[in-house]
Amino acid sequence: MCGITGWVSFDRDLAADDPALDAMTETMSCRGPDDRGTWAEGPAALGHRRLAIIDLPGGRQPMTVRTPEGTVALVYSGEAYNFTELRRELIDRGHRFTTDSDTEVVLRGYLEWGDTVAERLNGMYAFAVWDGRHDKLVMIRDRMGIKPFYFHPTPDGVLFGSEPKAILANPLVRPRVTLDGLRELLTLVKTPGHAVWDGIREVEPGTVVTVDRSGLRTRVYWRLETRPHTDDRDTTIATVRSLLDDIVRRQLVADVPRCTLLSGGLDSSAMTALAARQLGEQGEKVRSFAVDFAGQADNFVADELRGTPDTPFVHDVARLARTDHQDIVLDAQSLADPAAREKVIRARDLPAGFGDMDASLLLLFRAIRDQSTVALSGESADEVFGGYLQFFDEEARHAETFPWLVSLGRHFGDDTAVLRPDLAKSLDLEGYIADGYRTAVSGIERLDGESDFEYRMRRMCNLHLTRFVRALLDRKDRMSMAVGLEVRVPFCDHRLVEYVYNTPWSLKSFDGREKSLLREATADLLPRSVYDRVKSPYPSTQDPGYAVALQSQVHDLLSRPSHPVFDLLDRDKVRRTTETSGPIATQSARRGMERTLDLALWLEMYGPELDLG
């Protein structure tokens, strides 16, 4: 896992522009604390920061191969879980390897198959190849969008990076956000390709972007497709289990310490138990980590989202799977610390507004990084198997909008209610969401003979897998890589996604519950408490001290009426949010305060030019 960046300028020799490339590369230092490298030749310059996972001495980058027609150079971030099979195939085809790294497999795979190497990879990856034989740059991103990848076209080429901050470090780019960028920032719709920053785009998941002297073009090599599912229930459950066994086995491969993220929910418990069984066969013990909040286990108050605390279920799994377990306990002060908020915003390049759930994830990952370099996560199982409350909510099922917005609005309120009225009118967020929804559902294929209900549920599943999950994967990647931790997501293996997506909803929920297929596929590994547990979202602190700290910080902000955040937010509305909060703040009030503080700090840190016209 690493950070990549680069610059192609067909009108200049970039070998003379070291300061710009160095600046871009250094923004990725958190993603790659173990090594750095740069390479420049003619119109191309590549930068790399490395987090060493496989073949620690041999995987240095940028990695190059010189051919009679020109140099082919690679910068690569991620993991190819089938690299050993591809390596054998390439050796059979005459390639000679000088390292044991998956990076060299990807590079020689490109030499053999060109950009169709993407179709052969199983993993999470974002990589760029400068092909000096044809003077072109090829950028490729994994199918699900697990690894981030951004680019910025220029008049004579392109800039790219794992994160926008790498591109923003180049003097050619102005940190500018337009009304359209604010719309994307303030709505959880995750428009494909949109990066909020003006001029910067995402390399979309499952896509190849090629830049040469004739311009830029894209090729989609993978998309979620509708296919008939003919397996019966028993066969489907067995297939899911077989896939999971293979996926976890592949994703446990590393030359550094590994662990699992354990929440006590079905997803992370199943994944941890699978990892524990497989490592146990090799005489190893899996390490597991969970986040908890000071006093929460003893003082937990159930609500409509979270009926039970996580910790008892976490410990049940740890005992049954015999993991080497550790709870990471966080207090309200650390969650509300402005330094943690600053680290979160620096990691994400944006004020995401997830508040304590972002801060706790960052602090959890920081604590884990002291003991492990690779972690396996249960992320994305809810999107794959249908685990969220909105899948069973009749209003969300029938709403002509993104279903998670119905659920989030009901439970957390509208954190954009503090916007200035004139800005809210210009943004027209409802219209933006409606347009995005119509675009998103327009391309979802329907099976011949599929009932209206089954098609409605297919659309819900598709939206979660092509929109919602990308927001969560980006959050996971940014928070983990900010501290140099590689987090792998077994449930995002494209084979599993394709298979389960095409199972009808009647099979996904055959027992009337969420994630029926996953529960039955791993039932032999789970404690009964977890098998019976109802879905509970990522935890959030209930400590009233957190809300009190937010109130204090917002009051300090309100004492600075010239702060640029009040070009976006209505001061009176912000003040009313804090005054009506009290020590036990409502979720809506908390979200409003978190959004306010995030926006204010982002404006201070990045100083973006806001085009609100």
Side-chain angles (χ1 to χ4, degrees):
M1 196 75 77
C2 307
I4 65 172
T5 190
W7 183 6
V8 171
S9 175
F10 291 110
D11 290 346
R12 69 177 84 187
D13 182 352
L14 289 181
D17 283 298
D18 287 345
L21 180 63
D22 286 343
M24 295 168 70
T25 303
E26 286 313 299
T27 64
M28 298 289 96
S29 59
C30 289
R31 297 185 71 89
D34 297 327
D35 196 9
R36 76 177 298 279
T38 59
W39 173 91
E41 186 176 282
L46 307 178
H48 186 264
R49 292 290 312 213
R50 186 184 183 206
L51 175 62
I53 302 294
I54 293 174
D55 188 9
L56 306 191
R60 296 199 67 194
Q61 298 184 49
M63 189 174 284
T64 62
V65 172
R66 296 195 177 275
T67 76
E69 296 80 25
T71 302
V72 179
L74 169 73
V75 281
Y76 168 77
S77 171
E79 305 292 342
Y81 302 125
N82 63 335
F83 79 98
T84 54
E85 297 99 309
L86 291 175
R87 180 187 174 95
R88 285 194 295 268
E89 183 177 355
L90 288 164
I91 289 173
D92 289 344
R93 290 171 173 264
H95 290 265
R96 295 183 178 181
F97 287 81
T98 59
T99 76
D100 295 324
S101 68
D102 61 337
T103 303
E104 188 177 7
V105 171
V106 172
L107 177 55
R108 296 194 175 277
Y110 175 82
L111 291 172
E112 180 67 30
W113 299 301
D115 66 28
T116 63
V117 67
E119 285 93 324
R120 296 173 177 267
L121 296 175
N122 176 309
M124 55 178 188
Y125 46 84
F127 62 92
V129 179
W130 170 252
D131 191 337
R133 300 169 303 179
H134 307 289
D135 270 7
K136 68 179 181 181
L137 181 77
V138 178
M139 297 179 283
I140 299 177
R141 190 176 181 196
D142 67 68
R143 295 169 180 83
M144 292 295 291
I146 305 168
K147 300 310 300 175
F149 203 177
Y150 297 85
F151 68 99
H152 184 298
T154 64
D156 70 334
V158 70
L159 301 162
F160 70 86
S162 292
E163 299 177 10
K165 60 174 62 70
I167 296 169
L168 293 170
N170 189 288
L172 294 178
V173 179
R174 296 161 55 194
R176 182 169 178 264
V177 177
T178 66
L179 277 176
D180 195 57
L182 285 177
R183 293 182 183 107
E184 186 67 18
L185 173 64
L186 297 171
T187 57
L188 191 55
V189 300
K190 199 61 177 139
T191 305
H194 209 305
V196 176
W197 296 97
D198 188 42
I200 298 179
R201 303 286 295 169
E202 278 192 320
V203 177
E204 293 186 34
T207 299
V208 178
V209 178
T210 302
V211 181
D212 58 22
R213 294 181 185 275
S214 65
L216 183 150
R217 57 190 178 277
T218 63
R219 178 178 73 84
V220 176
Y221 71 88
W222 185 87
R223 60 168 52 91
L224 198 56
E225 295 181 345
T226 296
R227 299 170 187 160
H229 184 81
T230 57
D231 291 345
D232 62 18
R233 181 194 297 179
D234 289 344
T235 303
T236 300
I237 292 169
T239 302
V240 168
R241 177 57 179 269
S242 176
L243 283 167
L244 288 173
D245 283 335
D246 180 67
I247 292 163
V248 171
R249 183 172 290 106
R250 289 176 182 275
Q251 297 199 19
L252 284 171
V253 174
D255 295 334
V256 292
R258 300 149 298 181
C259 68
T260 67
L261 308 178
L262 179 58
S263 71
L266 175 60
D267 319 334
S268 66
S269 299
M271 180 270 302
T272 294
L274 284 166
R277 174 172 290 187
Q278 292 180 10
L279 288 180
E281 293 170 355
Q282 305 169 30
E284 296 184 53
K285 212 173 189 181
V286 71
R287 305 193 72 173
S288 60
F289 293 88
V291 68
D292 196 7
F293 304 104
Q296 186 132 316
D298 295 329
N299 303 304
F300 180 83
V301 177
D303 59 29
E304 56 187 351
L305 274 182
R306 299 175 179 89
T308 52
D310 287 346
T311 302
F313 301 92
V314 166
H315 293 172
D316 286 350
V317 176
R319 278 192 295 269
L320 183 62
R322 299 181 179 180
T323 73
D324 181 2
H325 181 74
Q326 182 177 344
D327 292 325
I328 306 299
V329 182
L330 307 174
D331 58 32
Q333 290 71 34
S334 61
L335 293 170
D337 187 349
R341 187 178 303 280
E342 180 177 347
K343 184 76 170 176
V344 166
I345 291 172
R346 183 70 66 190
R348 302 192 71 170
D349 293 313
L350 293 172
F354 282 26
D356 71 305
M357 291 187 287
D358 267 352
S360 65
L361 195 63
L362 176 76
L363 295 172
L364 169 66
F365 288 158
R366 178 185 290 169
I368 292 172
R369 184 62 177 87
D370 291 336
Q371 303 174 64
S372 291
T373 311
V374 170
L376 270 65
S377 166
E379 188 89 80
S380 307
D382 285 309
E383 290 81 4
V384 174
F385 289 96
Y388 290 116
L389 293 176
Q390 56 262 27
F391 282 105
F392 298 86
D393 182 329
E394 286 303 315
E395 182 185 355
R397 283 175 169 179
H398 290 89
E400 290 299 310
T401 190
F402 296 101
W404 53 89
L405 297 183
V406 176
S407 181
L408 291 173
R410 181 183 302 139
H411 297 297
F412 296 103
D414 180 9
D415 63 351
T416 65
V418 293
L419 290 172
R420 289 170 53 114
D422 55 336
L423 178 59
K425 183 177 180 180
S426 297
L427 288 170
D428 184 18
L429 297 181
E430 288 187 8
Y432 185 74
I433 292 169
D435 289 345
Y437 175 76
R438 284 190 292 270
T439 300
V441 298
S442 64
I444 300 175
E445 301 167 282
R446 183 173 186 168
L447 278 179
D448 290 342
E450 193 168 41
S451 70
D452 290 345
F453 173 74
E454 282 288 353
Y455 181 55
R456 189 181 311 127
M457 298 310 296
R458 178 183 294 280
R459 294 203 309 182
M460 287 188 74
C461 292
N462 186 290
L463 291 172
H464 280 82
L465 288 167
T466 60
R467 295 294 187 103
F468 191 60
V469 77
R470 294 179 185 178
L472 299 186
L473 289 172
D474 184 74
R475 169 178 177 259
K476 177 272 306 172
D477 178 89
R478 302 297 194 89
M479 295 298 100
S480 62
M481 294 306 293
V483 298
L485 176 71
E486 173 174 299
V487 176
R488 299 176 177 179
V489 278
F491 292 109
C492 274
D493 185 292
H494 70 279
R495 299 169 299 163
L496 182 70
V497 172
E498 291 171 346
Y499 184 77
V500 178
Y501 172 65
N502 282 299
T503 59
W505 183 253
S506 59
L507 195 50
K508 286 187 177 76
S509 59
F510 65 79
D511 58 0
R513 300 184 59 191
E514 78 282 359
K515 294 180 284 195
S516 307
L517 292 173
L518 176 60
R519 183 178 294 102
E520 290 308 311
T522 56
D524 61 308
L525 302 171
L526 301 171
R528 189 71 201 189
S529 60
V530 172
Y531 181 90
D532 291 335
R533 191 186 186 193
V534 175
K535 162 70 183 174
S536 184
Y538 182 85
S540 178
T541 182
Q542 295 184 343
D543 190 333
Y546 177 71
V548 171
L550 293 182
Q551 286 174 295
S552 176
Q553 293 171 29
V554 174
H555 280 306
D556 288 345
L557 183 62
L558 286 166
S559 70
R560 302 157 61 192
S562 61
H563 194 287
V565 76
F566 297 116
D567 293 335
L568 304 176
L569 306 183
D570 185 299
R571 289 183 71 237
D572 290 335
K573 290 181 178 180
V574 172
R575 180 180 291 106
R576 285 196 295 272
T577 299
T578 62
E579 290 173 350
T580 58
S581 296
I584 309 299
T586 65
Q587 289 287 359
S588 178
R590 262 178 55 166
R591 281 289 299 275
M593 290 189 290
E594 289 167 341
R595 173 71 81 181
T596 297
L597 293 169
D598 281 0
L599 280 168
L601 190 53
W602 174 64
L603 291 169
E604 293 172 16
M605 292 168 61
Y606 284 80
E609 174 189 339
L610 298 178
D611 182 356
L612 306 181

